Amino acid sequence: MANSPRILLVDDEPDLLDLMELTLVKMGLETDRAVSVAEAQARLKQTHYDLCLTDMRLGDGEGLEVIAAASALAAPVPVAVITAYGNAGNAVAALKAGAFDYLAKPVALDQLRALVKSALKIPEAMQADNSARDLIGQSATMQDIRARIAKLARTQAPVHIAGESGSGKELAARLIHRLGNRADKPFVAVNCGAIPETLMESEFFGYRKGAFTGADADRNGFFQAADGGTLFLDEVADLPLSMQVKLLRVLQEKKVRKVGATTEEPVDVRIISATHQNLAALVESGRFRQDLYYRLNVIDLVMPSLRDRVEDIHEMARFLLDKLGGAEVKLDRDAEKALSAYAFPGNVRELENTLERALALCEDQHITAADLSLAPALPATNGAPGSKYPLQDYLDQMERVAILEALEQTRHNKTAAARVLGVTFRSLRYRLERLGIE
């Protein structure tokens, strides 16, 4: 029997090492740890690894040194880096040095699992059906989605993915990339709503040394990092109009100009964009450029919400429980009924969080409806007497939906989510505690 793939985890934060190790062990993988560059270099020389995950900043050096050590081996080891949230400079530097992908802190476990599966070259059919948790399901809707994604992968045309928060837009984009002819090139995901407007141009296009205070060396941007591969523009509707103009030019000319540069350089990227907002409506209201809309929306893909494919919930729940380490755990009949009856405003991500919490609460490998701790279903709003009563339950559910959407939009950055919601961080923290949102 072949040995399980072995992964080297390099980080000086014990809690993060524990989290990653637990996640990978549940996937059937073997792991080793290193807490410094020196220890990582020694382990890479002593043991064969199928993958290395390293932080960019370690006590005795940089993750770039780990990349160099892994690349210098007779059988080079693929390396993915973990960067501080919003630090595109480090991510771009790592990709340029030879890293095949990166994760931002706080590390999202679904992204970690997807990255590892892609790196380990799991057979294509398994990746298409199993690595993207939101693409699980045998409903006619999901079969159509998978067939459409397979067709989109064979083209190079820009794709715009619409759908609610948590419906699997990024996972669909990654699958389009992975099944296409750019699969061996970078996939760079950018959350357009998480970048300050003052930094957008330098983050997207890079900059020259001396272009502004603090620019002490030339640096590439997202477009250069994705050269040859795919650039995924998540929440593209959040781009300010000034940046929309610059993006349109790049798409038309296929060239970028770094901040502080006098010449342009060619880039070859496939653009996939996504948003949970209605782009056509934003064009009508003047908040999104019509010419850019037509450039991005060459082909569209609409991801269904979980409540629109209720018949997939039980299969999805079983799949997620297995991935969360609950292969022996059973859902009782009332729990299954509760899952089918719940609206899941946060879609599959909310389902996964619900099951992860239930795993911690359940007894005797048996999940009950009480273990799921689902909020009351959103009352019907058909105008019948009492349809919005009791009022507090209705308001709580509406508030919960808004908060979950803001958290999804900002990749669970609570400070950014508070800004989106127009409340203080303290107010958001209080609301999260009151509503039981983790």
PDB file of all heavy atoms in Angstrom, residues 231-262:
ATOM      1  N   LEU A 231      -6.612  35.362 -12.946  1.00  0.00           N
ATOM      2  CA  LEU A 231      -6.809  36.371 -11.906  1.00  0.00           C
ATOM      3  C   LEU A 231      -8.291  36.385 -11.555  1.00  0.00           C
ATOM      4  O   LEU A 231      -9.137  36.665 -12.417  1.00  0.00           O
ATOM      5  CB  LEU A 231      -6.358  37.746 -12.384  1.00  0.00           C
ATOM      6  CG  LEU A 231      -6.475  38.900 -11.370  1.00  0.00           C
ATOM      7  CD1 LEU A 231      -5.630  38.625 -10.132  1.00  0.00           C
ATOM      8  CD2 LEU A 231      -6.048  40.227 -12.008  1.00  0.00           C
ATOM      9  N   PHE A 232      -8.597  36.049 -10.313  1.00  0.00           N
ATOM     10  CA  PHE A 232      -9.987  35.989  -9.862  1.00  0.00           C
ATOM     11  C   PHE A 232     -10.314  37.246  -9.072  1.00  0.00           C
ATOM     12  O   PHE A 232      -9.740  37.485  -8.007  1.00  0.00           O
ATOM     13  CB  PHE A 232     -10.206  34.746  -9.001  1.00  0.00           C
ATOM     14  CG  PHE A 232     -11.589  34.651  -8.406  1.00  0.00           C
ATOM     15  CD1 PHE A 232     -12.714  34.682  -9.209  1.00  0.00           C
ATOM     16  CD2 PHE A 232     -11.765  34.521  -7.035  1.00  0.00           C
ATOM     17  CE1 PHE A 232     -13.994  34.598  -8.675  1.00  0.00           C
ATOM     18  CE2 PHE A 232     -13.031  34.433  -6.479  1.00  0.00           C
ATOM     19  CZ  PHE A 232     -14.142  34.469  -7.300  1.00  0.00           C
ATOM     20  N   LEU A 233     -11.203  38.058  -9.587  1.00  0.00           N
ATOM     21  CA  LEU A 233     -11.600  39.317  -8.960  1.00  0.00           C
ATOM     22  C   LEU A 233     -12.892  39.093  -8.188  1.00  0.00           C
ATOM     23  O   LEU A 233     -13.994  39.179  -8.756  1.00  0.00           O
ATOM     24  CB  LEU A 233     -11.770  40.411 -10.012  1.00  0.00           C
ATOM     25  CG  LEU A 233     -10.549  40.694 -10.893  1.00  0.00           C
ATOM     26  CD1 LEU A 233     -10.885  41.758 -11.936  1.00  0.00           C
ATOM     27  CD2 LEU A 233      -9.353  41.118 -10.043  1.00  0.00           C
ATOM     28  N   ASP A 234     -12.762  38.777  -6.907  1.00  0.00           N
ATOM     29  CA  ASP A 234     -13.927  38.530  -6.070  1.00  0.00           C
ATOM     30  C   ASP A 234     -14.516  39.856  -5.608  1.00  0.00           C
ATOM     31  O   ASP A 234     -13.772  40.809  -5.343  1.00  0.00           O
ATOM     32  CB  ASP A 234     -13.525  37.678  -4.865  1.00  0.00           C
ATOM     33  CG  ASP A 234     -14.716  37.027  -4.191  1.00  0.00           C
ATOM     34  OD1 ASP A 234     -15.826  37.120  -4.746  1.00  0.00           O
ATOM     35  OD2 ASP A 234     -14.542  36.430  -3.114  1.00  0.00           O
ATOM     36  N   GLU A 235     -15.825  39.925  -5.504  1.00  0.00           N
ATOM     37  CA  GLU A 235     -16.541  41.162  -5.138  1.00  0.00           C
ATOM     38  C   GLU A 235     -16.085  42.334  -6.004  1.00  0.00           C
ATOM     39  O   GLU A 235     -15.774  43.426  -5.529  1.00  0.00           O
ATOM     40  CB  GLU A 235     -16.353  41.469  -3.648  1.00  0.00           C
ATOM     41  CG  GLU A 235     -16.954  40.423  -2.732  1.00  0.00           C
ATOM     42  CD  GLU A 235     -18.447  40.156  -2.987  1.00  0.00           C
ATOM     43  OE1 GLU A 235     -19.123  41.009  -3.580  1.00  0.00           O
ATOM     44  OE2 GLU A 235     -18.923  39.076  -2.597  1.00  0.00           O
ATOM     45  N   VAL A 236     -16.078  42.102  -7.323  1.00  0.00           N
ATOM     46  CA  VAL A 236     -15.611  43.106  -8.274  1.00  0.00           C
ATOM     47  C   VAL A 236     -16.477  44.360  -8.239  1.00  0.00           C
ATOM     48  O   VAL A 236     -16.014  45.462  -8.602  1.00  0.00           O
ATOM     49  CB  VAL A 236     -15.567  42.501  -9.692  1.00  0.00           C
ATOM     50  CG1 VAL A 236     -16.978  42.240 -10.222  1.00  0.00           C
ATOM     51  CG2 VAL A 236     -14.775  43.360 -10.650  1.00  0.00           C
ATOM     52  N   ALA A 237     -17.725  44.242  -7.783  1.00  0.00           N
ATOM     53  CA  ALA A 237     -18.613  45.405  -7.710  1.00  0.00           C
ATOM     54  C   ALA A 237     -18.113  46.451  -6.718  1.00  0.00           C
ATOM     55  O   ALA A 237     -18.545  47.605  -6.771  1.00  0.00           O
ATOM     56  CB  ALA A 237     -20.024  44.963  -7.322  1.00  0.00           C
ATOM     57  N   ASP A 238     -17.191  46.058  -5.830  1.00  0.00           N
ATOM     58  CA  ASP A 238     -16.678  46.994  -4.836  1.00  0.00           C
ATOM     59  C   ASP A 238     -15.551  47.872  -5.366  1.00  0.00           C
ATOM     60  O   ASP A 238     -15.057  48.749  -4.644  1.00  0.00           O
ATOM     61  CB  ASP A 238     -16.173  46.230  -3.599  1.00  0.00           C
ATOM     62  CG  ASP A 238     -17.311  45.619  -2.796  1.00  0.00           C
ATOM     63  OD1 ASP A 238     -18.444  46.121  -2.922  1.00  0.00           O
ATOM     64  OD2 ASP A 238     -17.076  44.658  -2.054  1.00  0.00           O
ATOM     65  N   LEU A 239     -15.117  47.655  -6.603  1.00  0.00           N
ATOM     66  CA  LEU A 239     -14.072  48.505  -7.175  1.00  0.00           C
ATOM     67  C   LEU A 239     -14.593  49.930  -7.370  1.00  0.00           C
ATOM     68  O   LEU A 239     -15.661  50.126  -7.935  1.00  0.00           O
ATOM     69  CB  LEU A 239     -13.619  47.961  -8.532  1.00  0.00           C
ATOM     70  CG  LEU A 239     -12.766  46.691  -8.538  1.00  0.00           C
ATOM     71  CD1 LEU A 239     -12.548  46.227  -9.975  1.00  0.00           C
ATOM     72  CD2 LEU A 239     -11.428  46.931  -7.847  1.00  0.00           C
ATOM     73  N   PRO A 240     -13.857  50.939  -6.919  1.00  0.00           N
ATOM     74  CA  PRO A 240     -14.287  52.322  -7.166  1.00  0.00           C
ATOM     75  C   PRO A 240     -14.200  52.646  -8.657  1.00  0.00           C
ATOM     76  O   PRO A 240     -13.451  51.998  -9.408  1.00  0.00           O
ATOM     77  CB  PRO A 240     -13.284  53.149  -6.350  1.00  0.00           C
ATOM     78  CG  PRO A 240     -12.091  52.270  -6.191  1.00  0.00           C
ATOM     79  CD  PRO A 240     -12.600  50.866  -6.143  1.00  0.00           C
ATOM     80  N   LEU A 241     -14.953  53.642  -9.077  1.00  0.00           N
ATOM     81  CA  LEU A 241     -15.005  53.989 -10.497  1.00  0.00           C
ATOM     82  C   LEU A 241     -13.631  54.317 -11.069  1.00  0.00           C
ATOM     83  O   LEU A 241     -13.321  53.963 -12.207  1.00  0.00           O
ATOM     84  CB  LEU A 241     -15.972  55.164 -10.710  1.00  0.00           C
ATOM     85  CG  LEU A 241     -17.460  54.821 -10.567  1.00  0.00           C
ATOM     86  CD1 LEU A 241     -18.302  56.099 -10.540  1.00  0.00           C
ATOM     87  CD2 LEU A 241     -17.917  53.919 -11.704  1.00  0.00           C
ATOM     88  N   SER A 242     -12.792  54.967 -10.266  1.00  0.00           N
ATOM     89  CA  SER A 242     -11.457  55.323 -10.760  1.00  0.00           C
ATOM     90  C   SER A 242     -10.643  54.073 -11.100  1.00  0.00           C
ATOM     91  O   SER A 242      -9.885  54.044 -12.071  1.00  0.00           O
ATOM     92  CB  SER A 242     -10.713  56.161  -9.718  1.00  0.00           C
ATOM     93  OG  SER A 242     -10.586  55.447  -8.492  1.00  0.00           O
ATOM     94  N   MET A 243     -10.798  53.031 -10.310  1.00  0.00           N
ATOM     95  CA  MET A 243     -10.064  51.793 -10.563  1.00  0.00           C
ATOM     96  C   MET A 243     -10.711  51.016 -11.712  1.00  0.00           C
ATOM     97  O   MET A 243     -10.022  50.303 -12.457  1.00  0.00           O
ATOM     98  CB  MET A 243     -10.036  50.940  -9.292  1.00  0.00           C
ATOM     99  CG  MET A 243      -9.125  49.730  -9.396  1.00  0.00           C
ATOM    100  SD  MET A 243      -7.392  50.226  -9.636  1.00  0.00           S
ATOM    101  CE  MET A 243      -6.700  48.660 -10.181  1.00  0.00           C
ATOM    102  N   GLN A 244     -12.014  51.152 -11.880  1.00  0.00           N
ATOM    103  CA  GLN A 244     -12.690  50.477 -12.988  1.00  0.00           C
ATOM    104  C   GLN A 244     -12.131  50.955 -14.330  1.00  0.00           C
ATOM    105  O   GLN A 244     -11.955  50.164 -15.264  1.00  0.00           O
ATOM    106  CB  GLN A 244     -14.192  50.733 -12.922  1.00  0.00           C
ATOM    107  CG  GLN A 244     -14.891  50.062 -11.742  1.00  0.00           C
ATOM    108  CD  GLN A 244     -16.372  50.397 -11.694  1.00  0.00           C
ATOM    109  OE1 GLN A 244     -17.015  50.624 -12.718  1.00  0.00           O
ATOM    110  NE2 GLN A 244     -16.927  50.445 -10.489  1.00  0.00           N
ATOM    111  N   VAL A 245     -11.825  52.243 -14.418  1.00  0.00           N
ATOM    112  CA  VAL A 245     -11.257  52.806 -15.652  1.00  0.00           C
ATOM    113  C   VAL A 245      -9.908  52.164 -15.949  1.00  0.00           C
ATOM    114  O   VAL A 245      -9.626  51.746 -17.084  1.00  0.00           O
ATOM    115  CB  VAL A 245     -11.104  54.335 -15.537  1.00  0.00           C
ATOM    116  CG1 VAL A 245     -10.394  54.889 -16.771  1.00  0.00           C
ATOM    117  CG2 VAL A 245     -12.450  55.000 -15.364  1.00  0.00           C
ATOM    118  N   LYS A 246      -9.068  52.051 -14.926  1.00  0.00           N
ATOM    119  CA  LYS A 246      -7.728  51.479 -15.106  1.00  0.00           C
ATOM    120  C   LYS A 246      -7.807  49.994 -15.448  1.00  0.00           C
ATOM    121  O   LYS A 246      -7.046  49.496 -16.289  1.00  0.00           O
ATOM    122  CB  LYS A 246      -6.896  51.695 -13.842  1.00  0.00           C
ATOM    123  CG  LYS A 246      -6.600  53.159 -13.528  1.00  0.00           C
ATOM    124  CD  LYS A 246      -5.776  53.294 -12.253  1.00  0.00           C
ATOM    125  CE  LYS A 246      -5.337  54.745 -12.012  1.00  0.00           C
ATOM    126  NZ  LYS A 246      -6.455  55.623 -11.720  1.00  0.00           N
ATOM    127  N   LEU A 247      -8.725  49.298 -14.815  1.00  0.00           N
ATOM    128  CA  LEU A 247      -8.879  47.875 -15.093  1.00  0.00           C
ATOM    129  C   LEU A 247      -9.347  47.658 -16.529  1.00  0.00           C
ATOM    130  O   LEU A 247      -8.858  46.757 -17.224  1.00  0.00           O
ATOM    131  CB  LEU A 247      -9.881  47.257 -14.111  1.00  0.00           C
ATOM    132  CG  LEU A 247     -10.212  45.766 -14.314  1.00  0.00           C
ATOM    133  CD1 LEU A 247      -8.971  44.905 -14.205  1.00  0.00           C
ATOM    134  CD2 LEU A 247     -11.265  45.320 -13.288  1.00  0.00           C
ATOM    135  N   LEU A 248     -10.270  48.484 -16.982  1.00  0.00           N
ATOM    136  CA  LEU A 248     -10.767  48.368 -18.347  1.00  0.00           C
ATOM    137  C   LEU A 248      -9.629  48.518 -19.357  1.00  0.00           C
ATOM    138  O   LEU A 248      -9.536  47.751 -20.325  1.00  0.00           O
ATOM    139  CB  LEU A 248     -11.836  49.428 -18.602  1.00  0.00           C
ATOM    140  CG  LEU A 248     -12.418  49.466 -20.026  1.00  0.00           C
ATOM    141  CD1 LEU A 248     -13.157  48.170 -20.346  1.00  0.00           C
ATOM    142  CD2 LEU A 248     -13.339  50.671 -20.185  1.00  0.00           C
ATOM    143  N   ARG A 249      -8.752  49.461 -19.112  1.00  0.00           N
ATOM    144  CA  ARG A 249      -7.633  49.670 -20.032  1.00  0.00           C
ATOM    145  C   ARG A 249      -6.728  48.446 -20.100  1.00  0.00           C
ATOM    146  O   ARG A 249      -6.291  48.038 -21.173  1.00  0.00           O
ATOM    147  CB  ARG A 249      -6.831  50.906 -19.614  1.00  0.00           C
ATOM    148  CG  ARG A 249      -5.605  51.118 -20.486  1.00  0.00           C
ATOM    149  CD  ARG A 249      -4.873  52.415 -20.187  1.00  0.00           C
ATOM    150  NE  ARG A 249      -3.622  52.495 -20.920  1.00  0.00           N
ATOM    151  CZ  ARG A 249      -3.514  52.782 -22.214  1.00  0.00           C
ATOM    152  NH1 ARG A 249      -4.597  53.023 -22.923  1.00  0.00           N
ATOM    153  NH2 ARG A 249      -2.330  52.832 -22.791  1.00  0.00           N
ATOM    154  N   VAL A 250      -6.460  47.859 -18.937  1.00  0.00           N
ATOM    155  CA  VAL A 250      -5.604  46.666 -18.907  1.00  0.00           C
ATOM    156  C   VAL A 250      -6.249  45.526 -19.690  1.00  0.00           C
ATOM    157  O   VAL A 250      -5.580  44.813 -20.446  1.00  0.00           O
ATOM    158  CB  VAL A 250      -5.329  46.232 -17.450  1.00  0.00           C
ATOM    159  CG1 VAL A 250      -4.609  44.890 -17.419  1.00  0.00           C
ATOM    160  CG2 VAL A 250      -4.498  47.282 -16.738  1.00  0.00           C
ATOM    161  N   LEU A 251      -7.554  45.353 -19.531  1.00  0.00           N
ATOM    162  CA  LEU A 251      -8.244  44.279 -20.234  1.00  0.00           C
ATOM    163  C   LEU A 251      -8.235  44.521 -21.746  1.00  0.00           C
ATOM    164  O   LEU A 251      -8.165  43.573 -22.537  1.00  0.00           O
ATOM    165  CB  LEU A 251      -9.686  44.160 -19.738  1.00  0.00           C
ATOM    166  CG  LEU A 251      -9.863  43.800 -18.263  1.00  0.00           C
ATOM    167  CD1 LEU A 251     -11.343  43.642 -17.936  1.00  0.00           C
ATOM    168  CD2 LEU A 251      -9.105  42.524 -17.921  1.00  0.00           C
ATOM    169  N   GLN A 252      -8.296  45.788 -22.146  1.00  0.00           N
ATOM    170  CA  GLN A 252      -8.297  46.107 -23.567  1.00  0.00           C
ATOM    171  C   GLN A 252      -6.912  45.980 -24.181  1.00  0.00           C
ATOM    172  O   GLN A 252      -6.750  45.423 -25.270  1.00  0.00           O
ATOM    173  CB  GLN A 252      -8.824  47.533 -23.778  1.00  0.00           C
ATOM    174  CG  GLN A 252     -10.308  47.687 -23.490  1.00  0.00           C
ATOM    175  CD  GLN A 252     -10.750  49.135 -23.528  1.00  0.00           C
ATOM    176  OE1 GLN A 252      -9.958  50.047 -23.292  1.00  0.00           O
ATOM    177  NE2 GLN A 252     -12.025  49.364 -23.827  1.00  0.00           N
ATOM    178  N   GLU A 253      -5.898  46.477 -23.469  1.00  0.00           N
ATOM    179  CA  GLU A 253      -4.545  46.540 -24.027  1.00  0.00           C
ATOM    180  C   GLU A 253      -3.691  45.331 -23.678  1.00  0.00           C
ATOM    181  O   GLU A 253      -2.655  45.100 -24.305  1.00  0.00           O
ATOM    182  CB  GLU A 253      -3.842  47.813 -23.519  1.00  0.00           C
ATOM    183  CG  GLU A 253      -4.589  49.106 -23.799  1.00  0.00           C
ATOM    184  CD  GLU A 253      -4.718  49.382 -25.276  1.00  0.00           C
ATOM    185  OE1 GLU A 253      -3.834  48.951 -26.042  1.00  0.00           O
ATOM    186  OE2 GLU A 253      -5.730  50.019 -25.672  1.00  0.00           O
ATOM    187  N   LYS A 254      -4.118  44.568 -22.645  1.00  0.00           N
ATOM    188  CA  LYS A 254      -3.326  43.435 -22.139  1.00  0.00           C
ATOM    189  C   LYS A 254      -1.922  43.876 -21.727  1.00  0.00           C
ATOM    190  O   LYS A 254      -0.932  43.163 -21.914  1.00  0.00           O
ATOM    191  CB  LYS A 254      -3.250  42.313 -23.184  1.00  0.00           C
ATOM    192  CG  LYS A 254      -4.612  41.749 -23.575  1.00  0.00           C
ATOM    193  CD  LYS A 254      -4.474  40.549 -24.472  1.00  0.00           C
ATOM    194  CE  LYS A 254      -5.841  40.076 -24.960  1.00  0.00           C
ATOM    195  NZ  LYS A 254      -6.757  39.753 -23.858  1.00  0.00           N
ATOM    196  N   LYS A 255      -1.862  45.075 -21.170  1.00  0.00           N
ATOM    197  CA  LYS A 255      -0.603  45.624 -20.665  1.00  0.00           C
ATOM    198  C   LYS A 255      -0.874  46.356 -19.359  1.00  0.00           C
ATOM    199  O   LYS A 255      -1.979  46.898 -19.168  1.00  0.00           O
ATOM    200  CB  LYS A 255       0.017  46.609 -21.669  1.00  0.00           C
ATOM    201  CG  LYS A 255       0.462  45.975 -22.977  1.00  0.00           C
ATOM    202  CD  LYS A 255       1.038  47.034 -23.909  1.00  0.00           C
ATOM    203  CE  LYS A 255       1.492  46.419 -25.225  1.00  0.00           C
ATOM    204  NZ  LYS A 255       2.037  47.458 -26.139  1.00  0.00           N
ATOM    205  N   VAL A 256       0.111  46.372 -18.470  1.00  0.00           N
ATOM    206  CA  VAL A 256      -0.009  47.115 -17.219  1.00  0.00           C
ATOM    207  C   VAL A 256       1.173  48.066 -17.078  1.00  0.00           C
ATOM    208  O   VAL A 256       2.261  47.803 -17.596  1.00  0.00           O
ATOM    209  CB  VAL A 256      -0.061  46.175 -15.989  1.00  0.00           C
ATOM    210  CG1 VAL A 256      -1.272  45.280 -16.047  1.00  0.00           C
ATOM    211  CG2 VAL A 256       1.204  45.353 -15.871  1.00  0.00           C
ATOM    212  N   ARG A 257       0.920  49.149 -16.368  1.00  0.00           N
ATOM    213  CA  ARG A 257       1.988  50.102 -16.070  1.00  0.00           C
ATOM    214  C   ARG A 257       2.115  50.213 -14.563  1.00  0.00           C
ATOM    215  O   ARG A 257       1.161  50.592 -13.883  1.00  0.00           O
ATOM    216  CB  ARG A 257       1.681  51.469 -16.672  1.00  0.00           C
ATOM    217  CG  ARG A 257       2.730  52.531 -16.321  1.00  0.00           C
ATOM    218  CD  ARG A 257       2.395  53.873 -16.935  1.00  0.00           C
ATOM    219  NE  ARG A 257       2.454  53.808 -18.383  1.00  0.00           N
ATOM    220  CZ  ARG A 257       1.996  54.761 -19.188  1.00  0.00           C
ATOM    221  NH1 ARG A 257       1.431  55.828 -18.675  1.00  0.00           N
ATOM    222  NH2 ARG A 257       2.088  54.632 -20.499  1.00  0.00           N
ATOM    223  N   LYS A 258       3.275  49.884 -14.048  1.00  0.00           N
ATOM    224  CA  LYS A 258       3.500  49.987 -12.615  1.00  0.00           C
ATOM    225  C   LYS A 258       3.445  51.446 -12.179  1.00  0.00           C
ATOM    226  O   LYS A 258       3.765  52.355 -12.958  1.00  0.00           O
ATOM    227  CB  LYS A 258       4.860  49.388 -12.250  1.00  0.00           C
ATOM    228  CG  LYS A 258       4.939  47.874 -12.399  1.00  0.00           C
ATOM    229  CD  LYS A 258       6.303  47.364 -11.976  1.00  0.00           C
ATOM    230  CE  LYS A 258       6.329  45.840 -12.009  1.00  0.00           C
ATOM    231  NZ  LYS A 258       7.655  45.297 -11.643  1.00  0.00           N
ATOM    232  N   VAL A 259       3.052  51.661 -10.947  1.00  0.00           N
ATOM    233  CA  VAL A 259       3.054  53.013 -10.393  1.00  0.00           C
ATOM    234  C   VAL A 259       4.498  53.530 -10.412  1.00  0.00           C
ATOM    235  O   VAL A 259       5.415  52.861  -9.944  1.00  0.00           O
ATOM    236  CB  VAL A 259       2.518  53.011  -8.945  1.00  0.00           C
ATOM    237  CG1 VAL A 259       2.617  54.415  -8.342  1.00  0.00           C
ATOM    238  CG2 VAL A 259       1.081  52.511  -8.916  1.00  0.00           C
ATOM    239  N   GLY A 260       4.687  54.685 -11.010  1.00  0.00           N
ATOM    240  CA  GLY A 260       6.029  55.264 -11.095  1.00  0.00           C
ATOM    241  C   GLY A 260       6.789  54.878 -12.339  1.00  0.00           C
ATOM    242  O   GLY A 260       7.902  55.362 -12.564  1.00  0.00           O
ATOM    243  N   ALA A 261       6.205  54.025 -13.187  1.00  0.00           N
ATOM    244  CA  ALA A 261       6.884  53.598 -14.415  1.00  0.00           C
ATOM    245  C   ALA A 261       6.452  54.464 -15.595  1.00  0.00           C
ATOM    246  O   ALA A 261       5.382  55.071 -15.584  1.00  0.00           O
ATOM    247  CB  ALA A 261       6.578  52.131 -14.715  1.00  0.00           C
ATOM    248  N   THR A 262       7.297  54.508 -16.625  1.00  0.00           N
ATOM    249  CA  THR A 262       6.969  55.296 -17.826  1.00  0.00           C
ATOM    250  C   THR A 262       6.565  54.404 -18.990  1.00  0.00           C
ATOM    251  O   THR A 262       6.095  54.902 -20.012  1.00  0.00           O
ATOM    252  CB  THR A 262       8.182  56.155 -18.253  1.00  0.00           C
ATOM    253  OG1 THR A 262       9.308  55.290 -18.467  1.00  0.00           O
ATOM    254  CG2 THR A 262       8.518  57.169 -17.163  1.00  0.00           C
TER     255      THR A 262
END
